[in-house]
Amino acid sequence: MRKRTWFEVDDPDDDFEFTDAERDFAAALSGHCAAWAPDDVTGQVGRPDDWDALLAYVGLCDWGEGKPETGKETAAESHRPLHLIDLGVHLAGDRVRGDRLHNQLYSLPDQPHAWALDATGSTEQLARAAADWFRTVLDKPIVLYVWLHEGYAYAARYAFADSGETLCQLYAKTRAPDGQADALIAAGHVHGRGWIQTVGLPTPSLYLHIRGDLDKDHVIPGVRETTKRGPLRGPWYE
């Protein structure tokens, strides 16, 4: 099977109805990324419904994480990659903006992150700026922090190690220390539909380097490194 080219526009007559400038941007962006694009990530382009902007994005996964589905699959088939974060740019006219994307709407956040992109210029200049930005954010270190209680993992968080920003997390109160969940809720460490936030927990027990350029100084002090992971079962949420 042919490896898909990053940010490739497959069909000139596709439903997205890209403009010539958008096609030129996608082609230039693809060319700038070709020399360094990692094999485990695919750059894609599109235009969600009712958008005036072109979307170019990548989704990052932990390919080593997964859980059994039905028990009938092979060892390789029974595990699925865990989606961590979508990163991308919006091109509108002579401006391109990039940041973490909403995991369903692909919209940019209301408050840009410190590492966000906002540039203006020609099509070539915008493609170069976007390519440089993608390379930078793909080098951001991602770690998995794990909390243990009585030998079992009860909480975990994927995070950008350099900023501490949570990508996704889980908390299993049935495996957590007695009374901890109630204390976290009382302290306000809860979000949305009762999702307990792991930022309220004590120092993690372990960390695992997932991807990116990890500087040891980025990791939470006192956390022991591991190269193996146990089962982390439960719903993952942002």
Side-chain angles (χ1 to χ4, degrees):
M1 180 180 294
R2 179 179 65 89
K3 181 180 177 182
R4 181 180 173 85
T5 302
W6 270 41
F7 306 118
E8 179 180 26
V9 177
D10 289 323
D11 184 354
D13 298 319
D14 59 33
D15 293 335
F16 290 125
E17 297 181 352
F18 297 119
T19 67
D20 290 342
E22 289 171 341
R23 293 179 186 280
D24 290 343
F25 171 83
L29 178 58
S30 177
H32 290 312
C33 295
W36 55 262
D39 292 335
D40 64 337
V41 181
T42 300
Q44 301 185 63
V45 291
R47 190 197 312 280
D49 293 342
D50 301 324
W51 276 32
D52 292 329
L54 171 76
L55 168 69
Y57 71 99
V58 298
L60 300 186
C61 297
D62 179 1
W63 291 90
E65 175 62 34
K67 59 182 179 179
E69 296 295 323
T70 67
K72 299 179 181 179
E73 299 90 344
T74 66
E77 294 170 339
S78 65
H79 289 77
R80 301 290 184 267
L82 178 65
H83 182 265
L84 302 179
I85 187 173
D86 290 311
L87 302 162
V89 301
H90 291 189
L91 172 73
D94 64 351
R95 184 185 185 190
V96 65
R97 293 183 296 155
D99 208 324
R100 179 175 186 168
L101 302 175
H102 188 282
N103 62 4
Q104 294 176 322
L105 304 177
Y106 296 100
S107 55
L108 295 167
D110 293 332
Q111 182 63 42
H113 291 87
W115 43 269
L117 168 69
D118 193 342
T120 57
S122 67
T123 297
E124 172 59 28
Q125 289 170 332
L126 296 180
R128 168 61 72 181
D132 291 344
W133 179 80
F134 273 114
R135 188 168 191 177
T136 298
V137 295
L138 287 175
D139 279 343
K140 284 175 66 65
I142 296 177
V143 296
L144 170 62
Y145 290 115
V146 178
W147 286 261
L148 302 177
H149 176 61
E150 295 183 347
Y152 291 91
Y154 70 89
R157 177 171 81 238
Y158 289 89
F160 279 138
D162 54 354
S163 64
E165 178 189 349
T166 298
L167 307 184
C168 62
Q169 60 193 324
L170 69 79
Y171 182 87
K173 63 176 66 177
T174 57
R175 300 188 183 94
D178 291 341
Q180 185 187 71
D182 291 337
L184 290 169
I185 294 171
H189 297 297
V190 63
H191 181 71
R193 299 180 179 179
W195 298 120
I196 292 177
Q197 303 297 292
T198 55
V199 293
L201 295 176
T203 301
S205 307
L206 306 168
Y207 82 87
L208 178 67
H209 179 208
I210 302 301
R211 64 174 301 124
D213 185 9
L214 181 64
D215 183 329
K216 300 296 184 181
D217 291 339
H218 291 153
V219 181
I220 296 174
V223 183
R224 179 166 58 89
E225 183 178 12
T226 183
T227 58
K228 299 180 180 179
R229 75 191 75 207
L232 298 171
R233 299 187 178 93
W236 291 85
Y237 52 92
E238 288 188 8

